[in-house]
Amino acid sequence: MIPIDFQYVAAQSVAEAIRQYHQFSTSDMSTRYYSGGTEIITLARLHQLTMDAVIDIKPIPAAQVCSIVEEKLFLGAALTLSQITSHPMMSRAFPLLQVAVNEIADRTARNKITLGGNLCGDIIYREAVLPLLVCDSMVRIAGPNGAKEESIHRIFRRTMQLKPGEFIVQIATDKIYRCAPFFHVKRRKMGKVGYPIVSAAAIRLQDNIHIALSGVCSFPFRSRTMEDWLNQKHLPVHQRIEEAIQIIPPELILNDYEASREYRRFVLRTVLEETLHQLGSA
Amino acid sequence: MTKHEVTLHINGEDRTLVIRHADTLLDVLRLQCGLTGAKPGCENGDCGACTVIVNQLPYKSCIMLAIEATGHTIMTIEGLKHSPIQRAFAKCYAFQCGYCTPGFIMNAHAMLLHDTSIDEPTIQEWLESNICRCTSYEEIASAIRMAMSTMNANLPDNSKPNSPST
Ligand SMILES: Cc1cc2nc3c(=O)[nH]c(=O)nc-3n(C[C@H](O)[C@H](O)[C@H](O)COP(=O)(O)OP(=O)(O)OC[C@H]3O[C@@H](n4cnc5c(N)ncnc54)[C@H](O)[C@@H]3O)c2cc1C
Ligand code: FES
Ligand code: FES
């Protein structure tokens, strides 16, 4: 049972969601946007999250789109991970994202977890952001001051940097990135469901590797300095990988019940090696 | 504590209920509707014991608010009668203590609603959503295969998975 009470409203449009947020705020009610709701429910049950109201953004048509306009793929933030994996267009339109989200949670949970919820959640892995980071996606945001489009690199710095009242409506990704040769790998402690020890999403573009990682630190990231080392093709693979790993401050590498710091570093090494081989950069 | 009247369409009937907006579907089904087939296990989205079908898709009812389900068609294990998957579970002894069984059956039934010619990796992918503490996994997978062949045998010839016209 959820031990707190909150009010639930479903917004039918972006404007209605913003209006509702404003209305709750002026009544001094703490408010959250609600998408799949799985994290809100589980954290609220454990007393780790409270709010006075939630605004469900699933009914908003703009948050449900999946379409290509002028080579840009637009994905609504309220699409469930299952909708993304099962959409007939996705295996051609953005296969890296399709493969990456298919590894998040399990088949039934993916019917509820949404793209926007995964990107904005408190749970540290946020694995759906990895393909967006390597593909330089754009994030379409709505808020009290209107709509805006921001680069994923500006708006996602360890976590999503949204201002009060703002929410993600869509993600836009260019063809040049989403159709590039790609590689995705997720290494767990055991089994085929669960959080990653290391997960990586990578593409090869103009002979350079772009790579983003989750599970290594307490936040997902893409590091240009790491990529620079990995792309130094005149150096032996072993050296490129060691130099790339050295970039991560050792104390930032997670050391927890899933895996020790040393084991994570070992797994990261094998993941980077596999990525370079798979993308023909070894 | 504010309560609101809502109508949920459960197992073919409209049920008018007075709930908190913060009530999960699992709690409402069990505590207000007396439908105790969906089981609380982890209540964290991990075990699948609470699985129900909403609009033909399986959902873990512990991570869904009851209010979200208004206007949708909800089916719990109590609404599933004489289905091939239920018979196959009994024939294959696909349970021991039975606690996980309603969740597995609802998930498997939803899978078979989608397709009756499912390959082995797809069966495994769907089954990973549920946990059986008694480890009846082999028998559960056998039950799914049995239900699938029963359903295919009952299809008209031209709509069987391997018929020339499909
Ligand atoms: C069984 C299970 C397994 C999981 N396994 C994994 C895994 O393997 N890898 C992984 O990365 N994650 C995993 N997760 C975590 C899950 O992806 C996150 O908890 C995610 O936040 C859930 O998405 P949701 O749509 O349900 O979010 P919600 O609960 O709706 O929202 C989560 C947070 O994001 C905010 N939010 C939601 N949508 C938006 C939006 N469009 N704009 C702005 N803010 C928004 C909400 O206000 C809230 O603070 C798992 C979760 C479960 C339940
Ligand atoms: S009780 Fe719902 S998934 Fe475990
Ligand atoms: S039969 Fe006991 S938990 Fe599955």
Side-chain angles (χ1 to χ4, degrees):
Chain A
M1 178 177 159
I2 297 180
I4 53 161
D5 246 344
F6 54 77
Q7 197 176 327
Y8 166 100
V9 292
Q12 304 299 325
S13 67
V14 170
E16 192 187 332
I18 305 289
R19 201 166 45 245
Q20 273 292 351
Y21 192 95
H22 177 74
Q23 217 166 318
F24 286 135
S25 306
T26 47
S27 314
D28 258 352
M29 292 168 76
S30 62
T31 307
R32 269 176 194 275
Y33 290 110
Y34 182 101
S35 197
T38 64
E39 184 173 301
I40 291 178
I41 293 172
T42 48
L43 295 184
R45 191 179 62 82
L46 299 169
H47 296 268
Q48 290 176 15
L49 197 73
T50 65
M51 62 251 136
D52 299 311
V54 297
I55 301 167
D56 193 343
I57 58 168
K58 284 192 294 293
I60 300 175
Q64 290 286 352
V65 302
C66 179
S67 63
I68 295 178
V69 182
E70 290 172 1
E71 310 229 310
K72 265 201 173 119
L73 171 70
F74 292 92
L75 291 174
L79 288 174
T80 64
L81 303 186
S82 296
Q83 284 173 317
I84 291 174
T85 53
S86 64
H87 198 289
M89 186 174 81
M90 284 301 286
S91 60
R92 274 171 295 109
F94 202 168
L96 172 59
L97 183 69
Q98 186 187 41
V99 170
V101 302
N102 201 41
E103 295 275 336
I104 294 174
D106 59 79
R107 183 70 182 70
T108 306
R110 288 195 293 273
N111 290 337
K112 196 81 180 13
I113 296 173
T114 63
L115 176 60
N118 182 272
L119 300 176
C120 299
D122 285 342
I123 293 174
I124 61 172
Y125 303 102
R126 305 179 195 101
E127 289 179 88
V129 82
L130 303 181
L132 313 185
L133 287 173
V134 295
C135 290
D136 296 347
S137 295
M138 300 298 289
V139 184
R140 295 181 145 192
I141 297 161
N145 298 322
K148 62 180 178 183
E149 191 170 295
E150 292 268 17
S151 154
I152 187 81
H153 303 297
R154 263 181 74 87
I155 199 76
F156 188 86
R157 291 195 301 271
R158 298 190 173 190
T159 59
M160 220 30 108
Q161 307 291 313
L162 296 171
K163 299 203 177 78
E166 288 184 342
F167 70 98
I168 300 179
V169 184
Q170 289 170 355
I171 304 293
T173 311
D174 268 333
K175 185 176 181 185
I176 181 170
Y177 300 101
R178 56 186 172 77
C179 294
F182 71 93
F183 180 63
H184 176 267
V185 61
K186 178 167 177 174
R187 295 269 178 263
R188 303 174 180 84
K189 187 172 179 179
M190 60 178 197
K192 291 192 181 139
V193 173
Y195 295 131
I197 291 178
V198 176
S199 71
I203 60 168
R204 196 186 73 222
L205 198 73
Q206 288 149 6
D207 231 19
N208 277 331
I209 304 285
H210 297 192
I211 184 165
L213 298 159
S214 169
V216 178
C217 303
S218 61
F219 48 86
F221 66 93
R222 173 179 170 194
S223 156
R224 304 300 164 112
T225 328
M226 253 181 113
E227 285 177 5
D228 285 346
W229 277 112
L230 292 173
N231 286 316
Q232 303 269 337
K233 284 191 216 64
H234 59 282
L235 296 177
V237 171
H238 164 77
Q239 189 184 348
R240 287 151 65 187
I241 290 174
E242 287 312 315
E243 297 285 1
I245 294 176
Q246 292 304 320
I247 298 298
I248 311 170
E251 69 282 5
L252 285 190
I253 300 181
L254 285 173
N255 186 26
D256 60 18
Y257 61 94
E258 296 270 4
S260 68
R261 182 166 292 146
E262 208 35 55
Y263 185 61
R264 246 176 240 272
R265 201 181 276 120
F266 164 76
V267 175
L268 175 59
R269 200 172 285 127
T270 62
V271 160
L272 293 178
E273 205 173 306
E274 213 178 326
T275 307
L276 293 183
H277 273 103
Q278 291 290 336
L279 290 177
S281 182
Chain B
M1 193 180 291
T2 332
K3 294 210 168 192
H4 308 261
E5 194 176 281
V6 296
T7 301
L8 296 180
H9 191 72
I10 308 171
N11 299 335
E13 282 176 24
D14 278 339
R15 307 277 297 249
T16 300
L17 304 156
V18 178
I19 63 165
R20 294 183 312 138
H21 281 181
D23 282 333
T24 62
L25 180 59
L26 176 65
D27 284 340
V28 168
L29 290 172
R30 291 180 58 85
L31 304 174
Q32 297 218 35
C33 304
L35 297 169
T36 55
K39 299 284 182 252
C42 62
E43 292 187 70
N44 201 46
D46 295 317
C47 74
C50 63
T51 304
V52 300
I53 297 177
V54 180
N55 294 349
Q56 310 231 327
L57 276 180
Y59 286 93
K60 296 177 180 184
S61 59
C62 70
I63 49 173
M64 178 183 266
L65 296 178
I67 185 120
E68 277 183 88
T70 52
H72 302 292
T73 303
I74 305 161
M75 188 201 254
T76 69
I77 189 78
E78 290 87 349
L80 193 64
K81 303 230 163 70
H82 313 298
S83 66
I85 190 68
Q86 285 166 302
R87 280 194 291 264
F89 257 67
K91 280 196 184 136
C92 295
Y93 298 103
F95 46 81
Q96 292 175 61
C97 77
Y99 197 81
C100 68
T101 310
F104 266 106
I105 288 184
M106 294 314 278
N107 189 18
H109 183 70
M111 178 172 69
L112 295 169
L113 283 176
H114 282 251
D115 200 348
T116 54
S117 56
I118 297 164
D119 59 14
E120 209 48 43
T122 310
I123 294 178
Q124 293 307 327
E125 189 195 357
W126 281 66
L127 287 185
E128 276 154 14
S129 298
N130 297 60
I131 293 173
C132 173
R133 283 292 299 270
C134 306
T135 67
S136 304
Y137 296 108
E138 281 305 317
E139 293 80 0
I140 292 169
S142 303
I144 291 173
R145 286 181 217 113
M146 180 186 280
M148 203 154 64
S149 46
T150 311
M151 289 165 85
N152 286 331
N154 292 338
L155 286 175
D157 276 348
N158 63 357
S159 50
K160 286 187 177 159
N162 294 324
S163 77
S165 57
T166 52

